[in-house]
Amino acid sequence: ALPAFDWLFSIANLQVVPAAVLALPGKAAVNFHDGPLPHYAGLYAPAWALMDGRATHGITWHRMLPEVDQGEMLLQRTFAIEPGDTSLTLNLKCYQAAVESFGALVDGLAHGTLTPVAHTLD
């Protein structure tokens, strides 16, 4: 039998996690998304931001639900898109923001200090 665990983290995973797996952690499954939800859900968020001519981009840590990129947002970080940024450099900035924010995410989860935010599009 699988040992009990509280948190499941999905980071840089391009596969949809089955609902049965999402139900395994005692507290929640948390996903890293390489875009600022809810505006850039789905795949290729950095490329879409560049094509849209955005000045900023960001990342989102959110709870996972069976519906992709729909769980409550737990933590976001934003950063500038610089002239000359490409999909590659912007994606690298996303991973850097993920590494830099992971400690704050885990600390917030452990201490219950995060304020989950539901997705709403203006």
Side-chain angles (χ1 to χ4, degrees):
L2 188 64
F5 60 98
D6 288 334
W7 302 99
L8 171 70
F9 294 96
S10 175
I11 303 170
N13 175 28
L14 296 177
Q15 306 255 338
V16 174
V17 178
V21 174
L22 296 179
L24 292 174
K27 296 195 178 194
V30 177
N31 185 58
F32 160 71
H33 181 70
D34 63 351
L37 291 175
H39 300 288
Y40 284 97
L43 295 174
Y44 314 118
W48 285 112
L50 288 171
M51 287 187 281
D52 289 345
R54 304 286 297 194
T56 61
H57 192 60
I59 62 146
T60 306
W61 292 99
H62 67 92
R63 288 188 180 164
M64 296 175 72
L65 299 175
E67 299 81 23
V68 175
D69 292 339
Q70 295 301 307
E72 293 172 308
M73 297 175 288
L74 300 170
L75 185 72
Q76 289 189 308
R77 292 289 189 263
T78 58
F79 45 84
I81 296 176
E82 303 295 335
D85 266 336
T86 65
S87 290
L88 174 62
T89 62
L90 195 52
N91 214 5
L92 290 172
K93 286 181 180 183
C94 289
Y95 288 115
Q96 180 178 357
V99 169
E100 291 172 356
S101 63
F102 188 72
L105 172 73
V106 171
D107 187 58
L109 292 171
H111 294 99
T113 56
L114 298 176
T115 304
V117 176
H119 289 236
T120 56
L121 285 172
D122 302 13

